[in-house]
Amino acid sequence: MPTINDVAKAAGVSPSTVSYVLSGRRPISAETRARVQAAIAELGFHPHAGARALASSKTNVLALVAPLRVDVNVPVIMQFATAVVTAARSYNHDVLLLTKDEGTAGLERVAHSTMVDALILMDLERDDLRIPALRKLKQPSVLIGLPSDHTGIACVDLDFAAAAREALTHLAGHGHRRIGLVGPSPAVYRRQTTYADRFLAGFLEASAELELRTVTHPCEPGAAGVRTCLADLDAELDGITALVVHNEEALRPLLDLLHATGRRVPDDVSIVAVCPRDVATAMPIHLTSIDIPAHDVGTLAVETAMRLLDGRRVEYTRLLAPSLVERDSCREISTSHR
């Protein structure tokens, strides 16, 4: 790859002059600047991020803060990350991925070292301790999530409360009146992760409005956790005819358990999953599902960050409407089974 010395030789100037053209730290004549820029173009020289930052006060880098905690579904997180990276490249930005769960320390380290132009955060908690720190940074931030107080910080996400309502409305329309919720792991609820809290609140509200009999339980990872969760649901509400599953990792063990115990899907129990489309269609039975729109949310987060960097107006709360796709895991039940 060509170096700054190669550019200097081709332009007939010193390497320091090339550096000054890149950084803008000293006035350079128009003729000399033109020779340097022509040499850069001819040689295909790409100045490193530090030089670009000096010249433009920008790094062309976004930070994506996605802590890989033990209770997160890494493949789903990576779908969001892929969407952010793809969208960022369309704006000529790279992405610095921060996966360590280090609270505000990582944010402040990256921001204060001027490594990034803006930050995008995932896995938000209801009263997230990172929010006050974000307000003190000079870089704009975008949240994939909806904490209780996000004043002055843009948020984008799926409307999880509406997703819960959509799931129950669909099942109620098929005649189901006794419905269980297989929720995320207890750790997700303990951390008051915003997507789980909003889905649960929407589920309970819609259940009351639709006059359904419902029961909810968190579900620990693995087959044993699924077995315990299903047993708890059945113990608390007799005659469950449908399940809403808001836990991607529980789907396959749940289907295996239902099959092993002679409960047929959808003949004996209907299922609506909340998961990415590829997960729903990879199951032994293609699941009726509400999509987790990782691509759309990640793209919107980047677009919002770009608008903030350009000084343009943004909507500070953007919740995407849920989309339910009917497949093979729901059936209408007769009045005698309600």
Side-chain angles (χ1 to χ4, degrees), residues 294-336:
H295 177 269
D296 294 342
V297 171
T299 300
L300 181 57
V302 172
E303 291 174 352
T304 302
M306 292 299 110
R307 291 182 68 88
L308 289 169
L309 287 171
D310 291 341
R312 292 181 288 166
R313 295 181 60 183
V314 301
E315 290 184 49
Y316 275 84
T317 302
R318 288 285 304 276
L319 298 180
L320 303 186
S323 174
L324 184 146
V325 177
E326 177 81 72
R327 296 190 182 91
D328 304 327
S329 62
C330 289
R331 68 181 287 266
E332 190 164 350
I333 62 173
S334 63
T335 305
S336 61

Side-chain angles (χ1 to χ4, degrees), residues 37-48:
Q37 291 173 337
I40 289 173
E42 181 180 351
L43 295 173
F45 174 68
H46 297 285
H48 60 73

Side-chain angles (χ1 to χ4, degrees), residues 63-88:
L64 175 60
V65 184
L68 297 184
R69 301 182 172 104
V70 295
D71 55 340
V72 302
N73 188 305
V74 175
V76 175
I77 293 293
M78 288 301 103
Q79 288 193 18
F80 283 93
T82 300
V84 168
V85 170
T86 302

Side-chain angles (χ1 to χ4, degrees), residues 159-171 199 202-203 205-207 209-210 290 322:
D159 189 337
F160 279 96
R165 177 181 297 276
E166 184 79 6
L168 286 181
T169 299
H170 180 79
L171 290 170
F199 190 91
F203 185 93
E205 182 178 335
S207 174
E209 292 181 5
L210 294 168
I290 295 173

Side-chain angles (χ1 to χ4, degrees), residues 191-273:
R191 289 193 293 106
Q192 298 181 320
T193 307
T194 64
Y195 71 85
D197 278 3
R198 286 154 45 213
F199 190 91
L200 180 59
F203 185 93
L204 296 175
E205 182 178 335
S207 174
E209 292 181 5
L210 294 168
E211 299 182 338
L212 303 175
R213 296 189 64 183
T214 59
V215 61
T216 72
H217 267 284
C219 184
E220 293 277 10
V226 170
R227 189 178 304 110
T228 299
C229 178
L230 187 58
D232 289 341
L233 292 172
D234 287 333
E236 291 190 29
L237 180 60
D238 184 52
I240 288 176
T241 62
L243 295 170
V244 176
V245 185
H246 187 204
N247 185 327
E248 298 92 347
E249 292 183 311
L251 286 169
R252 184 57 189 261
L254 175 64
L255 291 174
D256 290 344
L257 177 60
L258 291 172
H259 177 76
T261 55
R263 296 169 77 174
R264 298 164 300 167
V265 178
D267 293 339
D268 301 315
V269 59
S270 291
I271 292 178
V272 173

Side-chain angles (χ1 to χ4, degrees), residues 108 111-112 130-139 141 153:
E108 293 168 348
H112 293 163
R130 295 172 295 178
I131 302 302
L134 291 176
R135 293 195 177 104
K136 297 177 183 178
L137 302 181
K138 64 179 181 180
Q139 294 95 334
S141 300
I153 303 177

